Amino acid sequence: MYFTLRSAAVSVACLLATAGASAATLYQQQPTDVANSQQSDASVAIYGQSVPALGNVTVDKISWWGFHGQNSGGSAFDSFEVFVNGAQQTGALTASIDQGLDFFTLDIQDIALSGAATLEIWNNSLDVEWFWAGSTGSKETAFRLEGTRNGGGSVPEPGVLALLGLSGLGLCAARRKSA
């Protein structure tokens, strides 16, 4: 009886640990030619970028690569407007460094997507700009969409599989000791 309770406790602990799994990258276009990349500025209209159909997904973060220009006042002056399928997205904007570039993340309220989408980013400040994914003239924004895949066809994250495997080993060990 003692080993059965212990095995159950180990299983529950493993399942609880998987509940905090982070969002997956649903789609991304990384900067590919930073030296020759273009950037946006406030004098240019909103740039739209098509996103292919990703299946049934929920997007909770939109990120893009960029930089602060030489006349920038710093991150306190960062100002972007982000739209998905024409609807403006609001949320907490953070900046970090990725691949030696500024990396901006807008943590948005969850939005469900089931088909192709359009992402539009407009920096309405002269202080911050973003990179295109390709070389001059490509006009493809370097961005990432994060969230979760919904529905029965999703693949578990590797961490979830590892924890389930460890719980199975724990159950086997407990059964072997009780026999």
Side-chain angles (χ1 to χ4, degrees):
M1 182 75 167
Y2 172 73
F3 291 109
T4 304
L5 289 175
R6 191 167 101 190
S7 299
V10 167
S11 297
V12 168
C14 288
L15 290 174
L16 288 174
T18 64
S22 62
T25 297
L26 301 172
Y27 184 80
Q28 76 176 353
Q29 291 183 161
Q30 292 188 340
T32 56
D33 188 5
V34 174
N36 296 311
S37 291
Q38 293 182 354
Q39 67 274 352
S40 69
D41 61 41
S43 64
V44 180
I46 296 174
Y47 288 103
Q49 176 68 49
S50 296
V51 178
L54 303 174
N56 186 11
V57 299
T58 301
V59 177
D60 59 23
K61 290 182 184 165
I62 301 169
S63 303
W64 59 95
W65 287 266
F67 71 99
H68 287 91
Q70 64 186 18
N71 297 322
S72 172
S75 60
F77 295 94
D78 293 354
S79 182
F80 294 97
E81 290 184 22
V82 177
F83 299 82
V84 175
N85 291 337
Q88 186 170 5
Q89 304 301 310
T90 59
L93 179 67
T94 57
S96 60
I97 301 295
D98 181 62
Q99 301 180 42
L101 302 170
D102 289 322
F103 187 67
F104 302 96
T105 300
L106 184 63
D107 191 351
I108 62 172
Q109 190 170 28
D110 293 356
I111 48 174
L113 296 177
S114 58
T118 300
L119 171 67
E120 298 169 311
I121 301 174
W122 179 25
N123 65 326
N124 50 11
S125 163
L126 291 174
D127 291 326
V128 67
E129 302 177 353
W130 73 87
F131 277 96
W132 299 118
S135 60
T136 303
S138 70
K139 294 195 175 185
E140 291 181 340
T141 306
F143 71 98
R144 176 184 301 156
L145 300 179
E146 293 181 38
T148 55
R149 298 193 182 280
N150 306 322
S154 63
V155 177
E157 292 184 29
V160 172
L161 294 176
L163 287 172
L164 288 174
L166 287 173
S167 67
L169 288 174
L171 286 172
C172 289
R175 291 183 112 187
R176 186 175 290 181
K177 284 184 179 181
S178 66

